[in-house]
Amino acid sequence: MTSIAGCFTLDGAPVPFEEGQTVMQAATAAGLAVPHLCWHPALGQSGACRLCTVRIDGRLAAACTTPAVADAEVQCRTGELDGRRRLLLQMLFAEGNHFCPGCEKSGDCALQSAAYEVGMTSPHFEEFFPDRLVDASHPDVWLDLNRCILCKLCVRASHEIDGKDVFAIAGYGIGAHLIVNAPSGRLGDSALVARDFATRVCPVGAILPKRRGFAVPIGSRRHDLDAGTTPGHVHAVAETRTEDDRG
Amino acid sequence: MPTGVLPPSRETAQAPPAGRGNHRDSPAATGHEIGAAVAAALRRHGGRREQLVQILCDLQASTRWLPPGALAAVAQGVGLSPAIVLGVASFYRFFHLRPVGRVHLLWSDNVTDRHRGNRERAAQVARAFDLPPDGSPSSDGRISQGFASCTGLPDQGPAVLVNQQQVVTRLDASRTDAMIDLIRQGVAPDAWPAEWSRVDDAVHRADVILDGEALRGEALRRVLASGAPGALDELEASRLRGRGGAGFPTAHKWRLCRAAAVPEGGTRVVVCDADEGEPGTFKDRVLLRRQADTVLEGMTVAARLVEARRGFIYLRGEYRFLLDELEAVLARRRSTGLLGADILGTPGFHFDVEIHLGAGAYVCGEESALLESLEGKRGTPRIRPPFPMERGYLGQPTIVNNVETFCAAARIAHLGVAAWTSRGTADSTGTKLHSVSGDCERPGVYELPYGVSVRDVLALCGAQDTQAVQVGGPSGQCLAAPEFDRRLAFEDVPTAGAFTVFNARRDLFEVAHGYSHFFAHESCGFCTPCRVGTELVLRRFDKLASGYGSMFDEAELRELEALLHGTTHCGLGATATNPLRDTLLRFRPAYERRLQQPRFVPAFDLDAELAPARRATGRDDPRAHLERIG
């Protein structure tokens, strides 16, 4: 078994860590939250969203990809770092088409929740309003690329957990986009099934189960209830899984 | 930026959304021919998935573009999902996922190319063939064109890459007219006048690296005589630092690699980064032509010191025209016992080098992105640690060094430490090659000791009335006249080799605007701040250039600049706003001219947006117009 290799502080709170753990892993294990979108405890590292950028002994680094070091002083929820997070979130909102009031994920969405958490009150940047596809070809799953934030959780989930490689990333720069592995490029012709982890891991409303709307009324959804505290979507995904497994 | 010419190539080279298969058939290749080309490319590379980028390069060389069916066949051949193969193919700017013309022109679009009129020349071609503005081929399939980032010929531009196989340099209006004529007559590019493809090395100053004969075993023999530990000590004593930009001590990197454990059945790996993508840099092109043996000598010395058996040259696709000559040098070294098994008769000293072609991706100059590309993947920079010295190519300990670094290491091994440290400064020993271009009389390569001032270089190259120098390319620094006594050295102004001169007539706002376009075009798209941030910066620049700028836009530019420094996944993203930062600081009047709007205005003309509504309602009276702002 692994043993404690050392201890660092996160915004002053002591965090013990095991050999090989990242700052994010150790903080999560200690019950502390570091804002993030593209990290999931069951999946490999990514470092794409940059929301978890912290200062480790003064240096900026992504908590999800940086190994914990003993006696480091990690700053996370400072005004400066939350300011950076706000800009990153505003970039994601401007890049895609995110209309929360019309989205089934509203109240249960990691993007929306993180935006509330760091006090984002407007998109700030001009929206790009990209022309993106909604793929309704699958019998059980919607794929709405308007909401995709390129976190690659579904790509990794399909590869690492489901063993299917249903999703991949194509293009580059601002044209980078999610694609589906099927001759037609449509989800309905892919190997995805509703029970796949890739179906349930999406932190936003890009991949959603069909025929389920308003199962929980707006106002009493997860992040509606815990508004103001740090929810993180780890919890959200875990609960979604339980719900899905029941269903 | 002139408008109404071609869109930048990034808007035409992106993958079409999966499932929208509206491809026209290639005007030449039939399904049968494509099938044969796929089979040949797979066979040549043993169907290995780490060769995917090379397989796609080979395939496109015969099919001109990559039809969906061909990609699916490649996927099957290498055992990857078709989506992953499409993901790789759509990452590289030089892979075409839509048909291109029988002649495909890629115009180098560096700032200096623009100053020399590349966009006017491209417009000339577009007019001659009535090319559609979306980058698709002429109706007869004869020709298509697009723009590429700097192709490494800024000292002899405007330059164009033809079918990614050959270059045409010095394209003035008359050469462009002559080229148009030959394309009209259907003359194949390889039958065009050889003079058009002439590439001058233009070496104006040579010293310890460029001056001597290319090394063919002389350095290796000394290393073999002194033994690896002694040679490493010597390299350390030379205080050689990497020439790619970061300046990491070379001996330290090699020692870390030598100390790293090799996985069972593997080897250590030596990689030469010949992906010279920084706009304005071309000294590696000259080294690869004049000193190819010295580059390989340095790689082989490195192989001996880190105990590597495998080597790669990652050659940028823009330098495809150097490939045959480099392969010939490799063959000669093999036949003379300088590569291969038991090198120079030394039992157990096995090392060989293969050349991998890049396919148009600046980010692959980042060492871990380069390794991803070598492994046949999208060139996304890796998470570090582990560093390549510990786990690099296919998980094996790997050193990645610049072309010039290998040359320097070979010279040090050959001439000894004193010859090296007698040049340069204490912190920056030896010489540095500078690629000089822009507004000067003698553009070309200058090998100068570290520590020369910017002013020295300007005098050497015959630059007059100089307003600014971009040192180290857009990811480096932009210096203004009061700083021309600063020294080119790691301890003052570090440089990866580009030295781009702008005289007093140049508009530094437009220079920074061009560079912002470059970074947006070259972002790999992986992390949020670089993917979206470079695009937002570009849109701000476009907005200011169109006359809609206000102080609010400047504030946003500064905000974006601060965010990108420190938040991006890799070092390239972190430097993407350097030109913005430097020019705002030093050439603010160039911005102020564009910040005249007293209040915030959107990036478009609101009233013009209402024109369709006016047309639909048949109105054009004053009340059908917005009140003018301000």
Side-chain angles (χ1 to χ4, degrees), chain A residues 151-216:
Chain A
C151 68
K152 296 207 293 177
L153 282 172
C154 60
V155 178
R156 283 175 280 155
S158 186
H159 178 76
E160 296 172 22
I161 308 285
D162 305 330
K164 290 183 179 179
D165 284 327
V166 166
F167 298 103
I169 301 292
Y172 57 84
I174 198 64
H177 59 280
L178 187 71
I179 56 170
V180 172
N181 187 42
S184 64
R186 294 170 0 138
L187 202 59
D189 299 324
S190 77
L192 188 83
V193 298
R195 294 185 58 83
D196 284 349
F197 190 37
T199 311
R200 294 170 282 136
V201 78
C202 183
V204 294
I207 303 174
L208 283 174
K210 281 188 172 177
R211 292 177 298 282
R212 202 169 73 205
F214 300 99
V216 179

Side-chain angles (χ1 to χ4, degrees), chain A residues 2 9 15 31 43 78 95 101 104 110 132 138 143 148 155 177 182 232:
Chain A
T2 48
T9 61
V15 179
L43 298 172
T78 64
E95 180 189 23
E104 167 62 18
R132 292 193 189 163
H138 194 283
L143 175 62
C148 177
V155 178
H177 59 280

Side-chain angles (χ1 to χ4, degrees), chain A residues 45-50 60 65 84 88 91 95 124 126 128 133 150 169-175 179 181 184, chain B residues 10 14 19-20 81-83 87 90-91 93 378 521 523 526-529 531 539-540 559 563 565-568:
Chain A
Q45 301 173 9
S46 169
C49 78
R50 312 311 285 178
L60 292 164
T65 59
R84 285 178 181 264
L88 290 168
M91 285 179 171
E95 180 189 23
H124 184 59
E126 72 280 12
F128 295 179
L133 216 65
L150 294 171
I169 301 292
Y172 57 84
I174 198 64
I179 56 170
N181 187 42
S184 64
Chain B
R10 88 193 152 112
Q14 294 273 326
R20 288 186 189 168
S81 84
S90 61
F91 179 81
R93 319 309 183 257
R378 293 165 60 83
H521 178 60
S523 169
F526 174 77
C527 75
T528 310
R531 180 182 68 245
R539 289 181 186 214
R540 289 291 167 291
E559 198 173 31
L563 180 71
H565 278 283
T567 317
T568 56

Side-chain angles (χ1 to χ4, degrees), chain B residues 203-391:
Chain B
V203 175
H204 296 295
R205 265 307 161 95
D207 196 349
V208 61
I209 286 179
L210 275 168
D211 216 11
E213 291 285 305
L215 295 173
R216 299 199 171 112
E218 296 87 344
L220 270 174
R221 285 193 187 86
R222 277 201 73 217
V223 166
L224 289 169
S226 66
L232 269 171
D233 289 345
E234 204 173 22
L235 189 66
E236 190 168 317
S238 77
R239 303 195 297 282
L240 174 65
R241 296 169 68 170
R243 266 44 179 161
F248 195 81
T250 306
H252 188 47
K253 181 185 274 190
W254 292 11
R255 280 191 203 279
L256 287 172
C257 180
R258 183 182 165 88
V262 177
E264 200 173 320
T267 175
R268 296 193 186 84
V269 182
V270 172
V271 177
C272 174
D273 178 352
D275 190 50
E276 184 172 46
E278 190 71 36
T281 316
F282 50 88
K283 45 102 187 164
D284 291 343
R285 180 195 85 216
V286 172
L287 284 172
L288 290 167
R289 289 180 91 196
R290 290 208 163 187
Q291 297 283 346
D293 264 302
T294 312
V295 178
L296 286 159
E297 185 96 352
M299 291 180 71
T300 315
V301 166
R304 183 65 179 172
L305 300 192
V306 305
E307 293 174 6
R309 287 203 313 275
R310 201 153 181 205
F312 293 98
I313 295 176
Y314 186 91
L315 183 69
R316 69 185 306 221
E318 291 83 343
Y319 291 170
R320 167 71 180 72
F321 67 96
L322 299 175
L323 182 63
D324 293 346
E325 180 56 32
L326 286 172
E327 292 282 9
V329 175
L330 285 176
R332 193 173 63 229
R333 288 182 74 91
R334 283 185 198 110
S335 68
T336 51
L338 296 171
L339 276 180
D342 300 328
I343 289 171
L344 288 174
T346 313
F349 182 10
H350 310 315
F351 179 66
D352 211 333
V353 174
E354 53 191 286
I355 300 173
H356 266 232
L357 279 173
Y362 168 72
V363 69
C364 290
E366 200 276 348
E367 64 176 4
S368 67
L370 186 154
L371 292 172
E372 288 285 292
S373 183
L374 269 185
E375 292 182 8
K377 301 174 187 163
R378 293 165 60 83
T380 307
R382 291 179 179 174
I383 294 166
R384 297 178 298 177
F387 291 92
M389 293 84 87
E390 308 161 285
R391 283 207 293 276

Side-chain angles (χ1 to χ4, degrees), chain A residues 124-155:
Chain A
H124 184 59
F125 301 115
E126 72 280 12
E127 288 96 334
F128 295 179
F129 298 128
D131 184 11
R132 292 193 189 163
L133 216 65
V134 177
D135 180 347
S137 60
H138 194 283
D140 301 317
V141 183
W142 292 102
L143 175 62
D144 185 346
L145 293 176
N146 290 291
R147 301 163 182 170
C148 177
I149 57 169
L150 294 171
C151 68
K152 296 207 293 177
L153 282 172
C154 60
V155 178

